Amino acid sequence: MNSSIATARGPRAHPYRLLLATALVALAAGLGLPRLAQAAAWHHGGPDAMGPGMMMMGPRLLDRVNATPAQRDQIKQIMEAARKDLQPLHEQARRLHEQGMALFTQPTIDANAAEALRQQAQALHDQASRRMLQAMVDAGNVLTPQQRQLMATQMQQRQALMHQQRAERAALDGAKP
């Protein structure tokens, strides 16, 4: 297998997870929250990645920043519109994945065709990233500056906890024979 193709997606990458992670990282960079970009890379989602559990401004986080019912309604509408806009991209990504699987099951892998699929997937990721960034900017503008600061603090605390848990798992894995 061509090593440039293998590293483009990684052996365990899932197109939907990569799509969401790309969107979240771009969002975090766009909002000027570099630590958020690292935390966003840990979020993995499937077809329902825009659900409340994966949404960066999900109900629990909105609870923690004391969002008003009006703010919640506005943010819910913004995120629902983004989810609807992202659905066609999700379908295109699924089709590209199927094409990639078919390509790699051929007796000879066409490197040019694989590269073309990679470029198409990258373009989809870019579109999704732009749409998610717009949704997050719109939703962020619904909140007050103080609420956004509190949100960033909450996300940093969550990131610290994730790093601690990852270090503990690594220590346990290293201790096993």
Side-chain angles (χ1 to χ4, degrees):
M1 178 173 11
N2 184 330
S3 63
S4 65
I5 295 170
T7 58
R9 291 191 33 160
R12 296 175 54 158
H14 191 279
Y16 310 121
R17 290 178 180 172
L18 186 57
L19 182 70
L20 178 64
T22 302
L24 294 176
V25 170
L27 160 74
L31 292 178
L33 302 172
R35 292 198 175 269
L36 180 59
Q38 293 172 352
W42 279 93
H43 288 276
H44 297 283
D48 299 318
M50 283 297 298
M54 294 305 300
M55 200 167 35
M56 290 176 61
M57 289 191 187
R60 286 184 285 178
L61 190 54
L62 292 175
D63 287 343
R64 291 183 190 129
V65 301
N66 301 314
T68 67
Q71 287 174 316
R72 290 170 188 273
D73 288 344
Q74 284 181 282
I75 290 170
K76 184 177 178 181
Q77 289 173 1
I78 290 166
M79 291 302 165
E80 181 61 24
R83 187 185 65 76
K84 286 179 182 176
D85 290 347
L86 290 170
Q87 189 63 35
L89 298 180
H90 169 80
E91 287 300 316
Q92 289 175 336
R94 184 187 57 75
R95 285 192 296 274
L96 285 176
H97 177 71
E98 290 171 358
Q99 290 173 12
M101 293 303 293
L103 179 72
F104 281 94
T105 60
Q106 299 301 310
T108 303
I109 298 173
D110 181 347
N112 291 329
E115 175 60 18
L117 285 176
R118 186 197 65 78
Q119 288 177 7
Q120 290 174 27
Q122 190 64 35
L124 284 177
H125 296 173
D126 191 47
Q127 283 181 273
S129 173
R130 279 193 304 268
R131 181 59 183 103
M132 278 305 301
L133 175 61
Q134 185 59 54
M136 293 305 294
V137 168
D138 292 346
N141 283 329
V142 171
L143 300 173
T144 67
Q146 294 82 10
Q147 287 172 314
R148 289 193 307 270
Q149 181 60 47
L150 183 56
M151 184 177 287
T153 300
Q154 293 285 325
M155 294 176 109
Q156 288 173 344
Q157 290 171 354
R158 179 173 165 85
Q159 180 191 18
L161 178 62
M162 289 186 329
H163 282 294
Q164 178 185 352
Q165 290 170 343
R166 186 172 14 136
E168 289 170 359
R169 280 192 307 271
L172 290 173
D173 289 344
K176 292 182 182 178

